[in-house]
């Protein structure tokens, strides 16, 4: 018997049909989403490309899936932006730390360049006059991160021992290029890459060391003694002085036959300096003589025990002259004694030699001003007691002084000459410490070019930091704690070395502009409206 139609059965069947339709739509949507979300992406890491299949929606998620770690200096680019699309190309360039030389100062530089020529090209894109930039290769037998080569675009000129050799394949590492040119490196030799009229040059610097010995004169000092057998104001030389001698041994570094630096290794006194002794008569007593005091008086004596009021003008003047002479002689004796002590202390230290690190660190003022050590001897009573201190040899090690003046307006340079370095001359800090304006701009030019900030973007960056700090590493805002070239607020957020290292300040400033504004042009536009960025 067929089932009879009822309203309840009709409602049930309708619900079933609706549920089946909904399920079909959901399944179709899920299928379409799965097909659409599935992407094929070309992922390139340090020049190696692989095709990966992923359902990731963003570039960050893709890199996380593929276990690709990205550090602060690494560069990540995508043809589809942050949102990942099918058939997109994602490139990760791992940064490594190279050593560049700006006007003779070695500076660590994080770069994603794949060749030395490309790295130097970053600095050429934003021209900075009066600056010379080269790349140092510390160990040519190590393959650097990212397959760092010399010149992917063409030949390399090798200059060594005055000879020039052209190697056609510039894609090779430095070691292979030197082998092709028949160059054998010594243990201490240096390899430097530079650009010369568009040509990539691999220059070998021959480094040799030699020990030399020099003999320097140690000036004698002068000692003054009081001799009661002499008349007041009388002086005689009891002992003639004679200079001593000191033998200094240096380790001298020569680069291509020219002296680059020297280090004091030892010092030996071969002849002791003999002091000159000067005897002087005793100072005149300020008490009036017996003849003067025994004379009859018509008034009371002065409270200070001076001459009687009954003295004639001539006697009073004579007594006054004797007193002046006594004081002058006493002052001269004190000055000579002080000079003797100063000169003696100068003789004990190797002030006549080219200063070693131990000598430099013993006195901050002597480190900052070579002439300071000679000032004490300038008061000596005899020209022969003065000591001459040679100027200290300039060093590539920058100072770590960090004093700044809070009274300076924003963008102005504050003096750092008033404070001393806590680490002394033996500091091993490396970086763009206390850079000149030109050196700071040179470093920033290369770093900005790596981000693609050339042309107008570089011009805007120059303008922006000219208005913020004048490109001075120690610019301090007197109204806030903003500090440094980019005027970070507070300055400590720039990280280790923020007070003194221009490279740290510039790297932080470029990262800040990139994350907040995208490029210097947008940062400048914001600054012109708000007067800050």
């Amino acid at each position: 018997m067929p089932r009879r139609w009822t309203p309840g059965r009709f409602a049930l069947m309708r619900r079933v049909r609706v549920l089946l339709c909904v399920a079909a739509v959901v399944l179709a949507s899920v299928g379409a989403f799965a097909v659409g979300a599935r992407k094929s992406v070309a992922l390139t890491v340090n020049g190696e490309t692989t095709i990966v299949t992923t359902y990731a929606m963003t570039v960050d998620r893709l890199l996380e899936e593929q276990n690709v770690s990205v550090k602060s200096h690494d560069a990540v680019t995508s043809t589809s932006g942050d949102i990942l699309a099918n058939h997109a190309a994602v490139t990760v360039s791992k940064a490594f730390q190279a050593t560049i030389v700006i006007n003779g100062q070695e500076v660590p530089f994080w770069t994603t360049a794949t060749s030395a020529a490309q790295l130097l090209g970053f600095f050429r894109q934003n021209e900075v006059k009066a600056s010379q930039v080269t790349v140092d290769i510390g160990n040519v037998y190590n393959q650097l991160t990212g397959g760092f080569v010399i010149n992917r675009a063409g030949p390399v000129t090798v200059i060594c021992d005055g000879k020039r050799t052209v190697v056609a394949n510039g894609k090779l590492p430095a070691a292979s290029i030197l082998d092709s040119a028949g160059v054998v490196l010594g243990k201490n030799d240096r390899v430097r890459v530079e650009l010369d009229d568009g040509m990539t040059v691999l220059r070998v610097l021959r480094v040799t060391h030699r020990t030399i010995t020099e003999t320097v004169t140690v000036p004698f000092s002068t000692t003054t003694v009081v001799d009661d057998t002499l008349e007041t104001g009388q002086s005689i030389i009891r002992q003639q002085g004679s200079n001593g001698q000191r033998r200094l041994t240096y380790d001298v570094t020569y680069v291509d036959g020219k002296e680059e630096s020297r280090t004091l290794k030892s010092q030996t006194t071969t002849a002791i300096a003999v002091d000159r002794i000067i005897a002087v008569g005793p100072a005149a007593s300020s008490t009036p003589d017996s003849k003067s005091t025994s004379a009859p008086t018509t008034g009371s004596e002065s409270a200070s025990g001076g001459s009687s009021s009954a003295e004639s003008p001539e006697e009073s003047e004579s007594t006054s002259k004797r007193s002046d002479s006594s004081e002058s002689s006493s002052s001269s004796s004190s000055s000579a004694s002080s000079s003797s002590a100063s000169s003696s202390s100068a003789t004990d230290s190797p002030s006549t030699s080219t200063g070693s690190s131990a000598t430099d660190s013993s006195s901050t003022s002597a480190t900052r001003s070579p002439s300071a050590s000679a000032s004490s001897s300038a008061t000596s009573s005899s020209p022969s007691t003065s000591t001459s201190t040679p100027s200290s040899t300039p060093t590539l090690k920058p100072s770590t002084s960090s004093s700044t003046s809070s009274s300076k307006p924003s963008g102005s340079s504050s003096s750092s000459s008033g404070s001393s370095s806590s680490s002394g001359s033996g500091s091993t800090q490396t970086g763009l410490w206390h850079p000149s304006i030109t050196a700071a701009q040179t470093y920033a030019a290369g770093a900005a070019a790596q981000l693609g900030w050339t042309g107008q973007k570089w011009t805007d960056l120059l303008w922006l930091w000219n208005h913020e700090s004048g490109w001075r590493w120690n610019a301090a805002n007197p109204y806030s704690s903003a500090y440094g070239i980019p005027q970070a607020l507070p300055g400590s957020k720039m990280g280790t070395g923020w007070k003194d290292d221009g490279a740290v300040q510039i790297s932080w400033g470029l990262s800040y502009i990139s994350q907040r504004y995208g490029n210097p042009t947008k940062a400048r536009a914001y600054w012109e409206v708000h007067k800050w960025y």
Side-chain angles (χ1 to χ4, degrees), residues 170-209:
K171 296 181 181 180
L172 297 173
S176 300
I177 291 177
L178 293 177
D179 289 342
S180 300
V183 175
V184 178
L185 288 181
K187 179 181 178 180
N188 298 315
D189 292 344
R190 304 172 189 168
V191 179
R192 181 164 292 174
V193 185
E194 59 192 54
L195 293 179
D196 185 9
D197 292 333
M199 177 64 71
T200 302
V201 175
L202 190 66
R203 188 182 298 274
V204 177
L205 304 176
R206 299 293 192 187
V207 179
T208 57
H209 294 271

Side-chain angles (χ1 to χ4, degrees), residues 107-426:
V107 183
F109 186 85
W110 285 95
T111 181
T112 57
T114 57
S115 70
Q118 182 186 12
L119 176 55
L120 289 173
F122 289 143
F123 294 91
R124 291 297 181 97
Q125 291 184 54
N126 295 322
E127 288 290 343
V128 179
K129 57 185 177 181
S131 297
Q132 181 181 3
V133 180
T134 60
V135 178
D136 274 4
I137 302 180
N139 188 344
V140 297
Y141 297 104
N142 283 346
Q143 182 76 10
L144 299 179
T145 304
F148 191 72
V149 299
I150 303 305
N151 182 19
R152 291 187 180 277
V156 174
T157 300
V158 179
I159 300 178
C160 179
D161 300 328
K163 300 178 181 179
R164 301 174 69 95
T165 306
V166 178
V167 177
N169 189 1
K171 296 181 181 180
L172 297 173
S176 300
I177 291 177
L178 293 177
D179 289 342
S180 300
V183 175
V184 178
L185 288 181
K187 179 181 178 180
N188 298 315
D189 292 344
R190 304 172 189 168
V191 179
R192 181 164 292 174
V193 185
E194 59 192 54
L195 293 179
D196 185 9
D197 292 333
M199 177 64 71
T200 302
V201 175
L202 190 66
R203 188 182 298 274
V204 177
L205 304 176
R206 299 293 192 187
V207 179
T208 57
H209 294 271
R210 193 172 69 184
T211 300
I212 65 172
T213 301
E214 293 181 354
T215 300
V216 297
T217 300
V218 180
F220 64 84
S221 59
T222 300
T223 302
T224 303
V225 297
V226 178
D227 189 343
D228 293 335
T229 63
L230 299 178
E231 297 291 337
T232 300
Q234 184 182 3
S235 65
I236 62 173
I237 298 177
R238 296 293 191 192
Q239 176 178 288
Q240 292 291 349
S242 62
N243 294 329
Q245 286 187 340
R246 183 175 292 141
R247 185 171 60 247
L248 307 177
T249 302
Y250 294 97
D251 179 23
V252 183
T253 301
Y254 296 90
V255 178
D256 282 347
K258 296 181 179 179
E259 181 178 336
E260 179 188 62
S261 62
R262 57 174 57 193
T263 303
L264 181 64
K265 306 298 291 184
S266 64
Q267 51 183 328
T268 304
T269 300
T270 56
I272 300 176
V274 177
D275 290 353
R276 179 171 63 177
I277 300 177
I278 300 177
V280 297
S285 174
S286 60
T287 305
D289 54 26
S290 58
K291 180 179 179 180
S292 172
T293 55
S294 62
T297 60
T298 58
S300 63
E301 294 182 350
S302 65
S304 62
S307 60
S308 169
S309 60
E311 285 181 333
S312 64
E314 291 80 0
E315 284 185 310
S316 177
E317 182 178 355
S318 175
T319 305
S320 175
K321 287 182 178 180
R322 287 198 304 271
S323 178
D324 292 342
S325 174
S326 170
E327 291 176 1
S328 175
S329 176
S330 175
S331 174
S332 174
S333 176
S334 296
S335 175
S337 299
S338 173
S339 173
S340 172
S342 173
S343 180
S344 297
S345 63
T347 307
D348 292 338
S349 64
S351 60
T352 57
S353 66
T354 313
S356 65
S357 59
T359 309
D360 292 341
S361 62
S362 65
S363 171
T364 304
S365 61
T367 303
R368 308 194 71 86
S369 176
S371 62
S373 61
S375 62
S376 63
S377 61
T379 59
S380 174
S381 59
S382 172
S384 62
T385 61
S386 63
T387 60
S388 62
T389 305
S391 300
S392 59
T393 304
T395 174
L396 294 180
K397 297 286 186 183
S399 168
T400 55
S401 168
S402 60
S403 71
T404 56
S405 172
S406 60
S407 62
K408 297 283 185 182
S410 175
S412 65
S413 173
S414 56
S415 173
S416 62
S417 61
S419 90
S420 61
S421 165
S422 60
S423 59
S425 61

